[in-house]
Amino acid sequence: MKAQTPTVAHGPAGETAEYIFVTPEMAIEWLAVNIDRNRNMRKGRINGYVRDIQSDRWVITGEAIKFDTSGHLIDGQNRCQAIVAAAKGAWVLVVRGISEDALVVLDSGSARNTGDMLVITGLADRADAKDVGAIARLYSAFQAGDVKHAASHIGGSSGLTKTEMADAVLSIPNIEFAARHARGMYRYLRLPVSALGVAYLEFSMLDVDDTAEFFNRIRDGIQNGPGDPFLTLTRRVSNDLQSGASRRILPGQALFYLFRTWNAFRERESLVKLQVGSPQAGFTPIPVPK
């Protein structure tokens, strides 16, 4: 946004609203008057904002940094922290003069999540949006080297901002088809849809026919006895899920299972174990699909 003459809008009780280019120095001053009872900082969100600001992909959404009638910062601390960390200014809407009564209802509405964004922008159908987002998030983390071994998980600083999510979805060919395929495969192999989708995308780039056979054998339960990679895979997943009511297979672990099975299938290799390792001995690296 180019520099322009400030235009201040006034509310019925003396509130004001205006778009301001917030510099790191201004953000530091505002954080100094942050209210004591404000929510904890969200490191993952701050890191995402920093990436958007530094890459000039910061988008004005209409979400405001807010101050109360006493001049205390009551909403926007994560954006202020991001501007400081980025060492670069950003345009934001700033609202001043919010009454204390507003704290009762502030952020009480249902915020739009990533799936909502994908639907609203036309990047995914509503039925696919949640899975498309999960696949894009895991695929991006895997490509960036953030998912390296069987115990890897994504979250925190490896999360995507909505801008990065949109870019990721646009850059991954056939991601909606992968989401539908993965959702259907979940009926036959209870691994995270995100991992099933990433596996489909990765395998398809190597060999479309083998990809079809790989997933067809899982769907149809085609197994050839001890040492068959598909028997080993299904048994390991079943054992994991039965080992405790709270047990769930993490995406990194699921990628390890799928990629290791794929490589054994492609190389006609006997596979009798899928060992993930341990914190003491180290976790098994996720192999590169061949």
Side-chain angles (χ1 to χ4, degrees):
M1 182 181 291
K2 296 180 181 180
Q4 55 186 356
T5 303
T7 300
V8 181
H10 295 270
E15 304 92 344
T16 63
E18 63 179 318
Y19 285 102
I20 297 176
F21 186 79
V22 182
T23 65
E25 294 75 19
M26 292 168 63
I28 290 172
E29 292 178 1
W30 292 357
L31 286 168
V33 294
N34 192 14
I35 59 173
D36 294 335
R37 59 187 181 279
N38 214 336
R39 295 174 297 181
N40 293 331
M41 300 288 183
R42 299 180 65 175
K43 185 177 180 181
R45 178 169 293 183
I46 292 170
N47 290 339
Y49 289 161
V50 170
R51 294 194 301 272
D52 280 350
I53 293 170
Q54 291 181 334
S55 62
D56 293 325
R57 294 190 296 182
W58 177 259
V59 177
I60 296 176
T61 63
E63 295 179 9
I65 290 178
K66 305 180 185 75
F67 294 87
D68 65 13
T69 54
S70 299
H72 296 122
L73 177 68
I74 60 173
D75 190 22
Q77 59 180 350
N78 290 326
R79 278 161 284 173
C80 288
Q81 286 282 1
I83 289 170
V84 174
K88 187 175 181 179
W91 283 94
V92 295
L93 176 63
V94 178
V95 176
R96 303 179 188 275
I98 299 294
S99 69
E100 290 190 4
D101 294 339
L103 288 174
V104 177
V105 297
L106 195 63
D107 293 330
S108 63
S110 178
R112 288 192 178 100
N113 57 30
T114 300
D116 295 329
M117 179 274 292
L118 294 175
V119 173
I120 292 168
T121 57
L123 292 175
D125 291 337
R126 185 168 298 279
D128 302 323
K130 178 181 177 182
D131 296 326
V132 165
I135 292 169
R137 189 176 295 109
L138 180 60
Y139 186 87
S140 298
F142 176 69
Q143 292 292 320
D146 294 330
V147 182
K148 299 177 180 178
H149 54 71
S152 293
H153 61 89
I154 58 174
S157 61
S158 64
L160 299 179
T161 67
K162 290 177 182 177
T163 301
E164 291 171 332
M165 174 64 73
D167 289 344
V169 170
L170 287 169
S171 69
I172 302 172
N174 302 316
I175 189 170
E176 279 198 89
F177 183 84
R180 297 185 198 113
H181 181 273
R183 195 162 57 247
M185 286 305 305
Y186 181 77
R187 296 174 53 194
Y188 306 98
L189 189 67
R190 299 286 179 166
L191 291 176
V193 169
S194 59
L196 290 166
V198 170
Y200 177 84
L201 292 169
E202 287 287 307
F203 300 165
S204 295
M205 289 189 289
L206 296 170
D207 191 301
V208 174
D209 292 335
D210 275 0
T211 299
E213 182 180 351
F214 180 88
F215 286 107
N216 286 344
R217 286 189 62 173
I218 293 174
R219 181 196 63 198
D220 298 336
I222 300 174
Q223 300 166 355
N224 297 318
D228 179 85
F230 297 95
L231 176 62
T232 302
L233 172 65
T234 54
R235 282 184 174 176
R236 179 61 199 250
V237 171
S238 178
N239 289 340
D240 282 352
L241 296 176
Q242 291 176 5
S243 64
S246 62
R247 176 83 181 191
R248 69 186 184 95
I249 299 174
L250 297 174
Q253 186 175 346
L255 283 186
F256 166 72
Y257 289 167
L258 290 164
F259 288 6
R260 181 69 184 90
T261 302
W262 166 263
N263 287 348
F265 159 69
R266 291 265 284 174
E267 297 175 355
R268 305 297 185 262
E269 172 194 349
S270 176
L271 182 65
V272 295
K273 288 183 179 180
L274 285 167
Q275 295 180 312
V276 300
S278 67
Q280 295 76 25
F283 292 103
T284 309
I286 297 173
V288 176
K290 299 177 182 178

